[in-house]
Amino acid sequence: MRKVILFSFPLVALMAFNAKKKINVWLIGDSTMAWKKPQNEPESGWGEGLKHFINSRAIVHNHAASGRSTKSFIDEKRWQTIIDSIQPGDYVVIQFGHNDEKPAASLHTDPFTTYKEYLKKFVDETRLKKGIPIICSSIIRRHFDSIGNLKNTHGDYIEASRQIAAETKTIFIDMEARSRKLVTEMGSEKSKSLFLFCNPGEYSTRPTGVQDSTHLNHYGAEVIASLFIDGLKEQKIKLARFAKEL
């Protein structure tokens, strides 16, 4: 019996040690990152796509939520849930902007004042918990002008996110620039394959079809997530060590 106990104890200790080695990746953002209910098929968010690229040594917690801005994410106590959960060494990936520009008082922030202030709050409070913040700019909307160029639909929010990342010395992944390059290269028609486009009757959840140039489908979610992974690798961010070899 003693031999069994002596043999089992190191094994249990090793398993506990390995469990502690896992890091958490907390995602906060809007619908372009968020998990979607089955009734919204085939819509997805790139936070779900990211799970495809992260290995078993890390856990992705996607707390992004549709229709939220930096302001409403805090006001609804969603951010408090993250703060209460962060462990030292965890990552917090932050991507807002799509809804911050909306005029509703519950959502709206000003790019160079309140938007930056809320982003700074996420960064500062993550660091107080010894976590590692990553700021991302919003992904592009697939809105082409009459001569085939992508429009700037995010105004000053992209520059504001870049500025606050620089001011706080925070990792910055320019998802707008990366997704803009991708969608531009694909062109107006081919880039529909990334977004929420389907014909009437193609999905039971979309009987009349849908043409949505803001939200992603499952394929688009993985493609956009791969751009985030590329950004990590190019900047040699430690989180890239948890990316799968695909």
Side-chain angles (χ1 to χ4, degrees), residues 36 58 82 89 181 188 202:
K36 304 297 164 57
I82 310 301
K181 181 177 184 294
S188 178
E202 190 174 349

Coordinates of all heavy atoms in Angstrom, one line a residue, residues 36 58 82 89 181 188 202:
K36 N -21.8 33.8 -30.3 CA -23.2 34.0 -30.7 C -24.0 32.8 -30.4 O -23.6 31.6 -30.5 CB -23.2 34.3 -32.2 CG -22.3 35.5 -32.6 CD -22.8 36.8 -32.0 CE -21.8 37.9 -32.1 NZ -21.3 38.2 -33.4
A58 N -3.5 27.0 -22.5 CA -4.1 28.3 -22.2 C -5.6 28.1 -22.4 O -6.1 27.2 -23.2 CB -3.6 29.4 -23.1
I82 N -14.6 40.3 -14.9 CA -13.2 39.9 -15.3 C -12.2 40.3 -14.3 O -11.3 39.4 -13.9 CB -12.9 40.7 -16.6 CG1 -14.0 40.6 -17.7 CG2 -11.5 40.3 -17.2 CD1 -14.3 39.2 -18.1
G89 N -0.3 36.9 -14.5 CA 0.1 36.3 -15.8 C -1.0 36.1 -16.8 O -0.7 35.7 -18.0
K181 N -6.2 45.5 -44.8 CA -5.3 45.0 -45.9 C -5.9 43.7 -46.5 O -6.0 43.5 -47.7 CB -4.0 44.7 -45.3 CG -2.9 44.2 -46.3 CD -1.6 44.0 -45.6 CE -0.5 43.6 -46.6 NZ -0.7 42.2 -47.1
S188 N -14.3 43.4 -53.2 CA -15.6 43.5 -52.7 C -16.4 42.2 -52.7 O -17.1 41.8 -51.7 CB -16.4 44.5 -53.6 OG -17.7 44.6 -53.2
E202 N -30.8 29.2 -47.1 CA -29.5 28.5 -46.9 C -29.3 28.1 -45.4 O -28.7 27.0 -45.2 CB -28.4 29.5 -47.3 CG -27.0 28.8 -47.4 CD -25.9 29.7 -48.0 OE1 -26.3 30.8 -48.5 OE2 -24.7 29.4 -47.9

